[in-house]
Structures are given as structure tokens and as C-alpha cells.
Amino acid sequence: MKKIILSLVLFSATTLTVLSQYYQGFENDNFNGLHGVLINPANIVDSRIKSEINIFSTQIQVGTDYTPLTPDNFINIINEDSFTVFPKDDNELLLNLELFGPSFMFNLTKKSSIGLLSRVRIYNNSRNLNAKLYEDLTSGFDDEDFDFNMMNLDQTLHAWGEIGLTYGRILTDKDNNFLKAGITLKYLLGGGVVQATSNSFSGDYVYNENAPPQSLINLNGDLSYMMSYNEDEDPFSSITPGFGTDIGLIYEYRPESTRTIAEDKNGKGFNKYKLKIGVAILDIGHITYKDQEETNYTLNGSVAAEEAENDLGQALEDNFVGTKAVKDVKVSLPTALQLNIDYRITNRVYASVNYNTSLLEADKPYNSIGQNILSISPRFETRFFSLYLPVSFSELGGTAIGTGFRLGPLVIGSGTILSTLFYDNAKSANIYAGLKVPIYQKRKSKLKNDTLTPGTVN
């Protein structure tokens, strides 16, 4: 049963990845172009961006309660020195990696826009696992006895690609009220999935001082695992197709005080709203991997620690009776509700509140689940430059503070960089960066010989 090793090793490997994230702060920038479409497809229409080409962007997000995600701790891990850990029976690790590839958007008419997006995404959810046990299985057991009692163990790793077609349209534009909608239809390219689950997985490690190779791991409970591809192969060597959808609505309250000035100058080039509210359901859909072999074990016995270190899968096969079943496996996308509220304080200063919550069952196998995050982000925004200061709250990551900026075609930021640098027990870390080619809406006055007065409208 070599196959489960990949999912177990992933826990140890990804705890070393302390830089990561989700475009926090940048998601509400009115000049974010295609990145705004990822948060809500309605953002594609009536944008301050006339058209845009995304060259390349990436973001990575990690959350864990096993080891602090701080620079000092990371350096100790790299140097193989002792580092701080908080092992328990229900440690958790979430990993979200995204590569946002070549994509573009442009206006079709005054009331509609279209875009084509490409992405590669990797999600890992490790819940209710004893990190001490997995660390010893991959790095070697020491001379200290310990026991473990994991309930509802769930390990899901899923990698897939997306090609998305986005369409947005203005529904209402009358007086103070503006409403637009958008949809993204996705063709999914499933790279592969690894799944390990257990209702109960308990036991202990007993060190034998006189004969360390015969130190034993006593196991009780159950364990099921599945891997959709050979661990020696590229996960994208064989592709499994699927379909997904994002849908979204955005309402803007446009009082006369902000609306008329913008319309006099050029309505498309300026923000007209005082308050903007967006709601979207993202990543609706799934990928079905057909004829997958799932192995189930009932555990009641012992294995030699050295045998488990060398090859856990083979050790289980040699010491326990497993049953195999072939079935179709449906892996859900990380379906989530996204709510964004953006308030215009002055012409260049905004404050936003964002809430993202998973719509999937956390304890159901084959679900890719992200963190539920509430964030507050003030920002300074102009046409060519924006600066963000996001503050987020989540159950796993606690309070996190970050910063970021957009400078023309370049965007760099993190939702956690300040807390990572200055908190002793940071539980989440992230970073994002991107390079794009934006073409802004024109800002020339409709009136002849009329020029814009700097600072009048953003």
C-alpha cells in the first residue's frame, strides 16, 4: 500500500512551505481586472479596465496548527535544527496553491464583457491527524514512547486545471441603482486525487531499548485509502474531464454626488458608487474519476517501527488483511460563498469587508475545503497605484495582518506577512504575485476643451 505514503508525506513537506495566499486586499481593487473575475464573475463588466491580458500570477496559502509559520521556525526547519511544534491527535493542515496562466478579457458592448481564463490549482486538506506520528513515519522514530488516538481522520489532495469562459452583463442602470451579473463556465482537467480516511485510528509506539529495530507500533481501528494515479507518474499525464461554474451578482449604490461627476468626465473611466455589494458562489461542480481502486483495512495488531519507516504501505499489506473495491469517485471543487462589501470613504480611500465560507460538508471524503475567512481591508486606490492593509480572521489561522500593492501591471502582496513577521505563533501564511497587461478605460472629458481636475474623482 505504497499509495498512502504520498498523502502522509505531503503533511511533512507542506509544513515547510511557509509563504502563501488568496489575493487579500487586491480582491476589491477596482483596477484588478481578471483577478476580480476570480472572486466574482460579475466584475468583468463595467470595469475600470477596458481589456486585459494576464501573463502569469500565482498565490499560495498554508494554514496549520502543528508548527508556527514564522521566519525563525522556518530557518530552523531548513537547517534541520530543533523547531517548535504543537503535536496533538487532531492537527490540521490546509494548503491552496494556484497558478493563474495566460488569460484575457475585453468589452463586447457597452453593457457586456467576455473573458477566457486558465488556471492550475492544488488543494490539500489534512484534518484530525496526529502530526507526531506522521513526522516519525517519514523522518524516523526516536526513543520516546507515545500514543495516539485520531478520530475522523480525513486527508484529501486534489490537483486540477481549468479553462473558463466568463460573460458579464449590466442588468440595471437607473438613477442611484446599478446591478450587474456574471457567470464563468469551466472545463475541468482533473490531474489526480489522493484520499485517506479513518473513523478511528489509535495505538501507541513502544521503544525497545535493547533492540531498536524491533520497536513496535501497535494499531487499532480502520483505514481506507485511494490514489487515482501511480505515484511515479506525472499527475497530469492522464486527464479526467469535468465541468464547473462560478456565478455572481454585484449591486452598486450610486448617489448623485458620486455619479454625476463621473458621467460628466467619462462614466466608464471612473468609479460611480458610494457602496458596492457583491455575492458569488464559486467552484460549483466536480470531477469524477472512474474505476478507482479503494483499499480498506481493519487494524488490530502490531508492525515493526523500522518496517513502517521503510515502507508503510508494504508494512500494512504484510501484517493486515485489506479488502479492495473498484468504484467511481466524485471529487467536489472547493465550493464556497463569497461576499464582498466595499465602501468609498473618499475619492481614493476605500474600506472593504469580505467573507468566504465553504458550502461543503467538512467531514465528507473527497471534498476540497478552504478556510472560512472574514477580512477587513482599507486601501488607497488610484489608477496606476494601490496600497492594501488586509486584516483577516479564521478559525485555524486566528488573526492575520498583511499588506500589498499594485503598481501598473505588477501586483505583489500577502494577507499575513506582518503577522508572520511579528507573531510568535502565526498559524497561516501566504503570498501572491502577478504580472499583467491592463488597458484602462479612457478618461477624457466629453466636453470639448475640458480637462480633468486632479483629485476630483477616482
Side-chain angles (χ1 to χ4, degrees):
M1 193 205 72
K2 285 183 179 179
K3 300 176 178 181
I4 197 173
I5 279 291
L6 181 61
S7 62
L8 303 184
V9 171
L10 182 69
F11 178 83
S12 298
T14 49
T15 53
L16 304 182
T17 314
V18 298
L19 296 178
S20 49
Q21 179 53 18
Y22 204 72
Y23 305 118
Q24 286 182 355
F26 185 49
E27 72 266 66
N28 287 300
D29 190 329
N30 289 290
F31 297 88
N32 60 11
L34 284 159
H35 288 80
V37 177
L38 303 182
I39 304 300
N40 189 323
N43 276 315
I44 198 169
V45 66
D46 195 64
S47 170
R48 307 292 76 79
I49 301 295
K50 184 177 181 179
S51 60
E52 183 175 88
I53 298 173
N54 181 69
I55 298 175
F56 181 79
S57 302
T58 186
Q59 56 123 349
I60 179 171
Q61 176 178 355
V62 173
T64 183
D65 57 3
Y66 171 60
T67 183
L69 301 178
T70 61
D72 289 343
N73 211 36
F74 181 56
I75 291 172
N76 289 336
I77 294 172
I78 294 297
N79 294 332
E80 299 183 354
D81 294 333
S82 60
F83 59 94
T84 304
V85 294
F86 301 103
K88 52 183 182 177
D89 284 326
D90 58 351
N91 283 124
E92 184 173 3
L93 169 72
L94 301 180
L95 168 68
N96 169 17
L97 171 65
E98 174 184 293
L99 304 177
F100 187 17
S103 305
F104 66 89
M105 59 175 278
F106 60 89
N107 294 340
L108 284 176
T109 68
K110 291 183 178 180
K111 291 189 175 183
S112 62
S113 298
I114 195 170
L116 187 66
L117 297 79
S118 66
R119 303 162 81 187
V120 175
R121 304 168 69 184
I122 299 175
Y123 263 73
N124 177 76
N125 301 305
S126 303
R127 302 175 185 274
N128 301 318
L129 49 82
N130 185 295
K132 167 64 174 172
L133 174 62
Y134 290 135
E135 182 183 278
D136 287 354
L137 284 170
T138 56
S139 302
F141 288 85
D142 52 30
D143 57 359
E144 294 183 5
D145 295 358
F146 70 92
D147 55 24
F148 49 90
N149 183 22
M150 295 180 286
M151 305 297 293
N152 300 317
L153 170 67
D154 181 18
Q155 164 80 45
T156 302
L157 167 65
H158 190 206
W160 75 99
E162 298 178 356
I163 299 175
L165 178 64
T166 301
Y167 175 78
R169 185 170 182 83
I170 297 173
L171 301 180
T172 300
D173 186 4
K174 186 176 181 180
D175 298 328
N176 296 347
N177 301 304
F178 177 88
L179 182 67
K180 58 184 178 179
I183 183 170
T184 299
L185 301 178
K186 304 178 181 180
Y187 180 68
L188 307 175
L189 307 167
V193 60
V194 175
Q195 178 71 38
T197 57
S198 174
N199 296 313
S200 174
F201 190 95
S202 61
D204 56 46
Y205 164 71
V206 180
Y207 175 69
N208 187 333
E209 183 178 0
N210 296 321
Q214 298 305 313
S215 298
L216 296 177
I217 307 172
N218 302 309
L219 298 173
N220 290 281
D222 61 90
L223 180 65
S224 299
Y225 73 91
M226 188 279 294
M227 178 182 280
S228 67
Y229 62 94
N230 189 300
E231 59 188 298
D232 297 324
E233 296 178 352
D234 180 349
F236 285 96
S237 60
S238 60
I239 298 298
T240 301
F243 296 94
T245 307
D246 298 343
I247 56 174
L249 287 169
I250 294 177
Y251 167 79
E252 295 183 6
Y253 172 63
R254 297 177 167 183
E256 185 176 0
S257 58
T258 59
R259 185 180 74 252
T260 55
I261 296 176
E263 289 175 345
D264 286 343
K265 298 301 180 183
N266 187 323
K268 289 288 185 179
F270 298 93
N271 298 326
K272 301 178 185 178
Y273 67 89
K274 186 69 174 178
L275 176 68
K276 179 168 67 174
I277 300 174
V279 60
I281 299 179
L282 306 176
D283 292 318
I284 304 167
H286 63 271
I287 299 174
T288 299
Y289 295 86
K290 295 184 177 297
D291 301 326
Q292 299 301 314
E293 184 180 87
E294 183 180 80
T295 303
N296 302 283
Y297 282 98
T298 297
L299 305 174
N300 185 15
S302 302
V303 298
E306 185 179 44
E307 186 180 357
E309 289 175 23
N310 293 333
D311 192 329
L312 175 62
Q314 192 62 50
L316 292 176
E317 289 183 6
D318 292 344
N319 292 276
F320 302 97
V321 177
T323 60
K324 299 181 183 296
V326 177
K327 63 180 184 178
D328 294 346
V329 173
K330 186 173 75 172
V331 184
S332 298
L333 298 184
T335 311
L337 173 67
Q338 178 81 31
L339 176 65
N340 306 92
I341 301 174
D342 195 36
Y343 182 75
R344 181 176 179 172
I345 300 173
T346 70
N347 291 331
R348 291 184 172 86
V349 179
Y350 296 76
S352 62
V353 177
N354 309 286
Y355 181 63
N356 182 286
T357 182
S358 175
L359 298 180
L360 300 178
E361 298 179 45
D363 57 353
K364 186 176 180 180
Y366 304 106
N367 279 348
S368 298
I369 301 174
Q371 294 189 61
N372 297 336
I373 298 177
L374 173 67
S375 64
I376 300 172
S377 181
R379 74 180 184 279
F380 175 82
E381 175 188 298
T382 69
R383 196 180 192 191
F384 299 104
F385 175 77
S386 293
L387 181 65
Y388 325 110
L389 187 67
V391 180
S392 62
F393 312 89
S394 64
E395 183 177 359
L396 176 60
T399 301
I401 305 173
T403 188
F405 68 90
R406 172 182 56 84
L407 182 61
L410 177 67
V411 58
I412 297 175
S414 167
T416 63
I417 185 65
L418 298 181
S419 51
T420 298
L421 291 174
F422 300 111
Y423 285 9
D424 293 333
N425 188 24
K427 295 181 179 179
S428 62
N430 59 74
I431 194 168
Y432 58 86
L435 184 64
K436 47 175 47 180
V437 181
I439 299 176
Y440 303 101
Q441 298 281 4
K442 293 182 179 180
R443 282 194 162 187
K444 293 181 179 179
S445 172
K446 293 182 179 180
L447 303 178
K448 293 182 179 180
N449 300 322
D450 185 18
T451 56
L452 296 180
T453 302
T456 54
V457 181
N458 185 34

